[in-house]
C-alpha cells in the first residue's frame, strides 16, 4: 500500500471572506476556473487544489499532500458547498476581519458541527485591511461563536492573503497531522466507497471521475459498481493530483479513469465495492435539530448526504419525545450506518438540522414500537457494543449479512468481532440460514430455550401419538408457538438435526430414538408394495389398483395406508396416490434441476414434458410440493423455495 500521507480540507465561510484567495496563496492555484466565477468575482462551484510537501521539518524526503476543496460562500450555491464539506474530515473556516461573523459563517459552522467535523483551523483573513482593535473585537466574537461548537478547541490564525502575513503559521498547523504518523488505520476494516464530485472526458483516455475515498482501498485494475446505474466499472488508472498511482486509501482525493460513458455519471454518485451495492429508500436516523420543528408527513425536506442531494419525508419515531426519525426517499440512496447528513427546510433557505444514519435495513412493520426503538438504541453504538447488545437482547437473533452490510464491516472486521465475543465468553451459536453468506447468530440462552421447548413438544407428541413417527415442520413450529421467522426456526432445526438431537424422516420431525412399530400385517403390506412402488417410480398405482395388487378390501387398505403414512413409510401426494419417501426425494431432485435451468420459473407443461408422466399427476405432485413449502407458485410458473434436504430429510433406512 502507498506510503503517501494526505489529508483533505474543505474551506467554509461567508461569501467574499477570502476562501479562494487563501487557498491560492497556500497552493498557488486559482480554484475559480469558470468564466462566470471570474466575471462575478465569486465562487460558484467546488474548487480543488493541492499542496505537496516533499521534505519534513528536518529536510528528510516525504510524500505528503494537503488537498483543498474550496467551497462557495454565497447562499445560492449552498448545494455545492454541502457537497464539498460533506466528504471531508477537516475544515478551514474563513472569517474576514473587516466583516466579522456573518450568516453563512454561522450556517457553515452549524453544518460542520452537524457533520461532526472536529479538525481544522480558523483563518481570520484581511488583517491588512483591519485595525488591531477590529482584529481583537472579531477574535472575541469568533471565540464566543465557537464556544459550543465542535471547533471550540480550534486555533484562530490571523492572515492576509495579500501580504502573506500569517499564512506560513497556518500551513504549519494544517500539516501537523501529516507529520504525526499515518492517518489511516493500520488495518482497513471496511469495504470500498468513493464519493464522486466531478466527472469529465479526456480525449484519448475516456471518462475520469474525481472524488474522495470514504472507506476501503482501491487499486488499478479493480472492479467496482457505479451506484446509480448499477454498472460494473473497471479502474483503468488512478491519479493523486498530477501523480499516477497504483492504489489509494481512505481520505485520499483521487481521480479515476473508468470505463463507462461520462453522461451516466453525476455528482453524488458512488463507486462501490459490489458488496455495498444496496440502494435504500428508507433510513432510520438520529437527528439533531437546530430549532424545534414539527415535521409534517406530507412535506419534503432537503437531505444532503455524501455529495448527493435528495428530497425526503420525515416522521418521528415515536411521535412523543423522539430521538430517532425515519426518512423516506423517492429516489434511492447509498447510505450506511454512521454516515452523517444535513437537512434543509422545504424551500432550502436554511439548515434545520442533521445527524447520523443508524439503520438502513428497516422492518416493514412496527417502525416505532418500543422493541424497534430498543434495537435502534442498540444500533446507535460502536460496532462491537452494538453487536453484543443485540445478541444479548434479541431472541430473534442477529443476521450478520445485514449487520455487516449496514455497518460496512469487511470479513476481517467480522472475524475480529467474533473473536471479541469469544474473548468475553459470550456464548452464541452460529446458524446457517437460507442463502445467506455469513452466519446468523443466536445467543446460547435463547437457543437453549428454543431447543428445550422443541424437545419438550416432541416428547409430548410422541407420548400421545405413539403410532405416528413425528410432526411436520409447520405443525412443530405452531405447537411451540415460535414467533420469530420461519427461516430462524428452520436454522435451529437444521442445527439440531446435524447434531443428531432430532431427526427428519421424510417430512416428519421426531426424536432420534422414537420409532413406530408396524404391526405384522403392516410389515407384510409394506414388504409387498415396496417393490411395486419402486418399480413404478414416478407413476405409482392408484389406491384402487393397490386393492387388486394386495388383495385387500378398500377399507382395510385405507386404514393400513394411513398407518404407513404416520410411520413415515409412505407419503400421500394426492387422495388416491402414495409414494415411497425416496421417490419423493427423487422427484424433488428432478424439480431442483429443472428450476436451476429456468431463471423465470418453470411451468406444469415444462415439468410434464421433461418428466414424461401425465399432466394431472404432475399438477398433483407440484401442488403437494407447494403445500409442504418446497415450491412456490407465481401465476403459471413455479420456483423452488428451499433445498430439498431442508424438507424431506433422510428417507427411511
Ligand atoms: N485586502 C485583502 N483582500 C482580500 C484578502 N483575502 C481576499 N481578499 C479579497 O476579497 C475578495 C473576495 O475574496 P475571495 O477569495 O474570492 O472570497 P471567497 O471567500 O472565496 O468568496 P466566495 O467563494 O464567493 O464565497 C477578493 O477581492 C479578494 O482579493 C485579504 O487577506 N486581504
Ligand atoms: Mg471563493
Amino acid at each position: 500500500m502507498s506510503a503517501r500521507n494526505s489529508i483533505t480540507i474543505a474551506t467554509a465561510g461567508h461569501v467574499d471572506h477570502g476562501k479562494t484567495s487563501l487557498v491560492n496563496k497556500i497552493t498557488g492555484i486559482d480554484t475559480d476556473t469558470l468564466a462566470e466565477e471570474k466575471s462575478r468575482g465569486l465562487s460558484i462551484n467546488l474548487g480543488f487544489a493541492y499542496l505537496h510537501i516533499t521534505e519534513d521539518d528536518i529536510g528528510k524526503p516525504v510524500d505528503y499532500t494537503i488537498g483543498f476543496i474550496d467551497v462557495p460562500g454565497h447562499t445560492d450555491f449552498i448545494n455545492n458547498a454541502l457537497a464539498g464539506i460533506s466528504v471531508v474530515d477537516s475544515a478551514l473556516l474563513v472569517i474576514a476581519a473587516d466583516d466579522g461573523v456573518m450568516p453563512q459563517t454561522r450556517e457553515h459552522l452549524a453544518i460542520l458541527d452537524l457533520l461532526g467535523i472536529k479538525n481544522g483551523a480558523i483563518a481570520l483573513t484581511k488583517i491588512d485591511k483591519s485595525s488591531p482593535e477590529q482584529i481583537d473585537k472579531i477574535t472575541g466574537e469568533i471565540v464566543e461563536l465557537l464556544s459550543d461548537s465542535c471547533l471550540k478547541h480550534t486555533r484562530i490564525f490571523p492572515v492576509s492573503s495579500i501580504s502573506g502575513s500569517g499564512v506560513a503559521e497556518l500551513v504549519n498547523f494544517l500539516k501537523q497531522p501529516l507529520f504525526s504518523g499515518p492517518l489511516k488505520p493500520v488495518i482497513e476494516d471496511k469495504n470500498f466507497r468513493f464519493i464522486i464530485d466531478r466527472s469529465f472526458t479526456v480525449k484519448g483516455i475516456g471518462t475520469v471521475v474525481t472524488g474522495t475515498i470514504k472507506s476501503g482501498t482501491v487499486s488499478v485494475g479493480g472492479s467496482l459498481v457505479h451506484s446509480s446505474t448499477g454498472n460494473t466499472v473497471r479502474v483503468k488508472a488512478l491519479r493523486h493530483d498530477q501523480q499516477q498511482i497504483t492504489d489509494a486509501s481512505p481520505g485520499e482525493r483521487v481521480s479515476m479513469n473508468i470505463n463507462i460513458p461520462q453522461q451516466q455519471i453525476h455528482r453524488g454518485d458512488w463507486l462501490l465495492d459490489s458488496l455495498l451495492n444496496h440502494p435504500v429508500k428508507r433510513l432510520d436516523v438520529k437527528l439533531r435539530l437546530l430549532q424545534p420543528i414539527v415535521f409534517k408527513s406530507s412535506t419534503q425536506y432537503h437531505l444532503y448526504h455524501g455529495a448527493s442531494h435528495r428530497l425526503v419525508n420525515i416522521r418521528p419515531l415515536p411521535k412523543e419525545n423522539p430521538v430517532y426519525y425515519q426518512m423516506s426517499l423517492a429516489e434511492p440512496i447509498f447510505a450506511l450506518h454512521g454516515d452523517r447528513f444535513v437537512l434543509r427546510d422545504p424551500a432550502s433557505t436554511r439548515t434545520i438540522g442533521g445527524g447520523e444514519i443508524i439503520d438502513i435495513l428497516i422492518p416493514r412493520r412496527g417502525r416505532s414500537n418500543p422493541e424497534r426503538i430498543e434495537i435502534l438504541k442498540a444500533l446507535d453504538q460502536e460496532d462491537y457494543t452494538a453487536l453484543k447488545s443485540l445478541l444479548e437482547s434479541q431472541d430473534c437473533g442477529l443476521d450478520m449479512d445485514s449487520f455487516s452490510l449496514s455497518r460496512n464491516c469487511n470479513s476481517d472486521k467480522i472475524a475480529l468481532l467474533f473473536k471479541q465475543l469469544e474473548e468475553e465468553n459470550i456464548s452464541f451459536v452460529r446458524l446457517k440460514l437460507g442463502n445467506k453468506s455469513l452466519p446468523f447468530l443466536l445467543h446460547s440462552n435463547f437457543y437453549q430455550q428454543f431447543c428445550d421447548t422443541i424437545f419438550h413438544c416432541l416428547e409430548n407428541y410422541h407420548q400421545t401419538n405413539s403410532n405416528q413417527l413425528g410432526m411436520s415442520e409447520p405443525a412443530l413450529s405452531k405447537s411451540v408457538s415460535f414467533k420469530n421467522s420461519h427461516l430462524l426456526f428452520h436454522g435451529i432445526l437444521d442445527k439440531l438435526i446435524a447434531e443428531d438431537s432430532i431427526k427428519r424422516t421424510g417430512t416428519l420431525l421426531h426424536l432420534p430414538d422414537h420409532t413406530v412399530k408396524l404391526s405384522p400385517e403392516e410389515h407384510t403390506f409394506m414388504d409387498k408394495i415396496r417393490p411395486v412402488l419402486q418399480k413404478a417410480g414416478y407413476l405409482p398405482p392408484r389406491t384402487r389398483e393397490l386393492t387388486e395388487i394386495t388383495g385387500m378390501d378398500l377399507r382395510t387398505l385405507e386404514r393400513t395406508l394411513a398407518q404407513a403414512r404416520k410411520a413415515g413409510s409412505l407419503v400421500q401426494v394426492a387422495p388416491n396416490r402414495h409414494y415411497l419417501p425416496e421417490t419423493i426425494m427423487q422427484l424433488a431432485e428432478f424439480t431442483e434441476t429443472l428450476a436451476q435451468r429456468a431463471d423465470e420459473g418453470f411451468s406444469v407443461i415444462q415439468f410434464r414434458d421433461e418428466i414424461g408422466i401425465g399432466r394431472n399427476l404432475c399438477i398433483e405432485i407440484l401442488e403437494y410440493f407447494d403445500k409442504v413449502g418446497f415450491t412456490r407458485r407465481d401465476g403459471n410458473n413455479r420456483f423452488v423455495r428451499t433445498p430439498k434436504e431442508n424438507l424431506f430429510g433422510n428417507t427411511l433406512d
Side-chain angles (χ1 to χ4, degrees):
M1 216 18 69
S2 72
R4 287 182 315 279
N5 212 358
S6 67
I7 48 171
T8 310
I9 300 176
T11 59
H14 197 72
V15 63
D16 251 6
H17 275 202
K19 297 177 287 298
T20 306
S21 307
L22 184 55
V23 169
N24 193 346
K25 192 75 193 168
I26 295 172
T27 62
I29 294 161
D30 181 8
T31 55
D32 279 349
T33 50
L34 302 175
E36 196 185 344
E37 290 178 325
K38 298 262 187 244
S39 66
R40 291 176 67 179
L42 48 68
S43 304
I44 294 172
N45 211 338
L46 298 177
F48 306 98
Y50 297 86
L51 175 69
H52 295 291
I53 301 158
T54 50
E55 280 185 359
D56 70 5
D57 292 344
I58 54 164
K60 200 172 101 218
V62 291
D63 183 4
Y64 293 166
T65 303
I66 305 179
F68 288 92
I69 301 182
D70 183 37
V71 314
H74 197 291
T75 185
D76 283 359
F77 312 120
I78 186 87
N79 284 4
N80 293 339
L82 277 160
I85 297 172
S86 297
V87 301
V88 296
D89 298 323
S90 310
L92 180 60
L93 180 63
V94 174
I95 303 166
D98 59 344
D99 215 11
V101 172
M102 295 299 280
Q104 265 62 57
T105 319
R106 292 182 192 281
E107 180 166 30
H108 285 193
L109 178 63
I111 289 168
L112 296 177
D113 212 31
L114 292 166
L115 294 173
I117 298 174
K118 294 188 188 67
N119 307 318
I122 314 298
L124 181 61
T125 52
K126 308 198 185 181
I127 54 167
D128 55 294
K129 277 172 76 177
S130 319
S131 65
E133 296 74 39
Q134 170 74 359
I135 294 171
D136 276 356
K137 179 174 160 264
I138 302 298
T139 305
E141 278 179 22
I142 296 172
V143 171
E144 166 81 37
L145 176 74
L146 297 179
S147 63
D148 62 349
S149 82
C150 59
L151 292 178
K152 60 173 169 265
H153 300 300
T154 310
R155 282 180 55 186
I156 302 170
F157 291 86
V159 295
S160 164
S161 300
I162 302 291
S163 69
S165 156
V167 173
E169 287 82 351
L170 171 65
V171 172
N172 265 336
F173 179 77
L174 294 180
K175 69 186 189 188
Q176 265 176 24
L178 293 170
F179 287 88
S180 56
L183 292 170
K184 291 128 209 167
V186 181
I187 301 168
E188 177 54 24
D189 57 9
K190 294 187 180 300
N191 296 307
F192 185 74
R193 297 172 87 197
F194 176 78
I195 306 171
I196 298 175
D197 52 37
R198 249 187 334 164
S199 68
F200 45 89
T201 310
V202 180
K203 231 178 158 186
I205 302 239
T207 304
V208 174
V209 292
T210 70
T212 307
I213 301 178
K214 175 101 177 143
S215 66
T217 55
V218 66
S219 304
V220 173
S223 121
L224 300 168
V225 172
H226 172 232
S227 62
S228 61
T229 58
N231 288 340
T232 301
V233 304
R234 202 170 58 80
V235 181
K236 297 200 288 180
L238 274 174
R239 261 173 185 253
H240 184 238
D241 193 15
Q242 307 293 327
Q243 188 192 356
Q244 288 275 1
I245 52 176
T246 53
D247 42 52
S249 38
E252 281 194 291
R253 254 200 83 72
V254 292
S255 58
M256 286 195 213
N257 178 205
I258 54 172
N259 62 339
I260 55 169
Q262 193 241 331
Q263 306 83 279
Q264 295 183 357
I265 300 170
H266 305 280
R267 172 175 288 170
D269 289 355
W270 296 77
L271 293 179
L272 301 163
D273 185 297
S274 59
L275 290 171
L276 300 178
N277 183 13
H278 191 88
V280 291
K281 286 188 167 182
R282 276 196 299 163
L283 302 166
D284 282 356
V285 304
K286 185 162 71 173
L287 193 55
R288 214 180 93 206
L289 293 169
L290 299 177
Q291 291 116 28
I293 288 180
V294 178
F295 288 106
K296 294 198 201 91
S297 58
S298 55
T299 307
Q300 290 191 309
Y301 297 82
H302 295 261
L303 167 72
Y304 294 86
H305 164 260
S308 69
H309 170 209
R310 297 279 188 281
L311 290 174
V312 292
N313 293 98
I314 301 175
R315 61 166 85 206
L317 306 174
K319 279 204 177 78
E320 304 300 323
N321 305 321
V323 176
Y324 303 108
Y325 291 77
Q326 188 162 99
M327 303 204 286
S328 317
L329 297 81
E331 293 289 313
I333 196 167
F334 289 76
L336 293 180
H337 166 89
D339 287 354
R340 298 286 191 136
F341 62 87
V342 170
L343 273 184
R344 285 172 64 79
D345 67 330
S348 198
T349 49
R350 71 200 160 86
T351 298
I352 55 172
E356 204 173 327
I357 289 161
I358 303 298
D359 200 7
I360 59 162
L361 303 166
I362 316 293
R364 276 182 211 290
R365 294 203 197 105
R367 79 182 88 203
S368 58
N369 64 26
E371 296 79 28
R372 174 64 186 162
I373 302 299
E374 283 309 308
I375 292 177
L376 287 173
K377 280 188 197 158
L379 288 171
D380 187 6
Q381 305 178 87
E382 61 81 31
D383 293 338
Y384 176 67
T385 325
L387 178 68
K388 192 175 133 184
S389 316
L390 290 170
L391 198 53
E392 289 177 337
S393 63
Q394 300 302 309
D395 70 355
C396 57
L398 201 70
D399 176 0
M400 287 308 287
D401 271 9
S402 305
F403 188 87
S404 66
L405 164 68
S406 167
R407 305 176 79 99
N408 193 9
C409 300
N410 70 11
S411 50
D412 289 346
K413 174 74 183 190
I414 295 293
L416 183 74
L417 289 171
F418 286 175
K419 197 165 146 245
Q420 280 175 284
L421 287 173
E422 277 153 17
E423 278 167 7
E424 248 197 88
N425 287 325
I426 294 168
S427 170
F428 61 94
V429 293
R430 300 171 196 220
L431 303 172
K432 167 89 186 91
L433 297 201
N435 53 5
K436 298 198 177 287
S437 47
L438 286 171
F440 197 94
L441 307 192
L442 186 61
H443 195 284
S444 296
N445 291 350
F446 297 125
Y447 176 66
Q448 208 44 58
Q449 279 167 21
F450 290 138
C451 292
D452 291 349
T453 8
I454 289 169
F455 294 145
H456 186 69
C457 186
L458 284 174
E459 266 161 31
N460 276 348
Y461 187 82
H462 291 331
Q463 260 170 27
T464 41
N465 303 277
S466 59
N467 64 345
Q468 304 226 9
L469 183 61
M471 305 169 81
S472 71
E473 189 173 322
L476 180 62
S477 161
K478 202 166 157 211
S479 92
V480 299
S481 315
F482 195 79
K483 65 177 173 42
N484 296 315
S485 78
H486 160 73
L487 213 58
L488 176 60
F489 189 64
H490 198 77
I492 294 171
L493 292 179
D494 270 354
K495 186 165 168 64
L496 290 172
I497 292 167
E499 289 166 354
D500 284 332
S501 302
I502 60 173
K503 252 187 120 177
R504 190 195 294 275
T505 304
T507 55
L508 300 177
L509 295 157
H510 57 101
L511 292 172
D513 52 6
H514 177 78
T515 49
V516 173
K517 283 250 171 295
L518 293 180
S519 66
E521 298 77 46
E522 287 155 0
H523 251 299
T524 319
F525 169 76
M526 279 311 298
D527 287 347
K528 198 180 261 178
I529 67 157
R530 190 173 287 116
V532 175
L533 292 179
Q534 274 165 347
K535 189 151 173 264
Y538 295 155
L539 189 61
R542 292 195 183 86
T543 309
R544 275 203 180 279
E545 294 165 66
L546 285 178
T547 55
E548 288 157 29
I549 295 166
T550 58
M552 291 165 116
D553 66 79
L554 187 61
R555 274 188 63 189
T556 318
L557 175 71
E558 278 179 341
R559 214 178 44 242
T560 318
L561 284 171
Q563 187 46 38
R565 288 199 302 268
K566 288 178 187 169
S569 310
L570 289 177
V571 177
Q572 185 172 31
V573 164
N576 60 3
R577 211 67 91 158
H578 284 77
Y579 282 85
L580 290 170
E582 56 262 38
T583 315
I584 293 291
M585 199 62 168
Q586 287 160 8
L587 279 168
E589 189 169 340
F590 170 85
T591 311
E592 261 183 8
T593 320
L594 181 62
Q596 269 160 17
R597 279 188 279 123
D599 273 356
E600 309 284 303
F602 61 88
S603 65
V604 172
I605 305 302
Q606 273 169 295
F607 187 87
R608 182 201 62 187
D609 289 350
E610 299 243 354
I611 201 162
I613 50 176
R615 182 172 170 275
N616 288 347
L617 182 55
C618 289
I619 293 176
E620 285 175 353
I621 293 168
L622 290 171
E623 284 180 351
Y624 166 76
F625 280 159
D626 291 346
K627 194 176 83 190
V628 297
F630 175 56
T631 49
R632 173 175 62 84
R633 182 176 166 187
D634 186 0
N636 277 335
N637 286 340
R638 274 192 171 74
F639 301 84
V640 166
R641 294 175 58 169
T642 179
K644 59 185 180 310
E645 290 75 13
N646 284 346
L647 279 169
F648 305 116
N650 308 326
T651 48
L652 274 183
D653 307 324

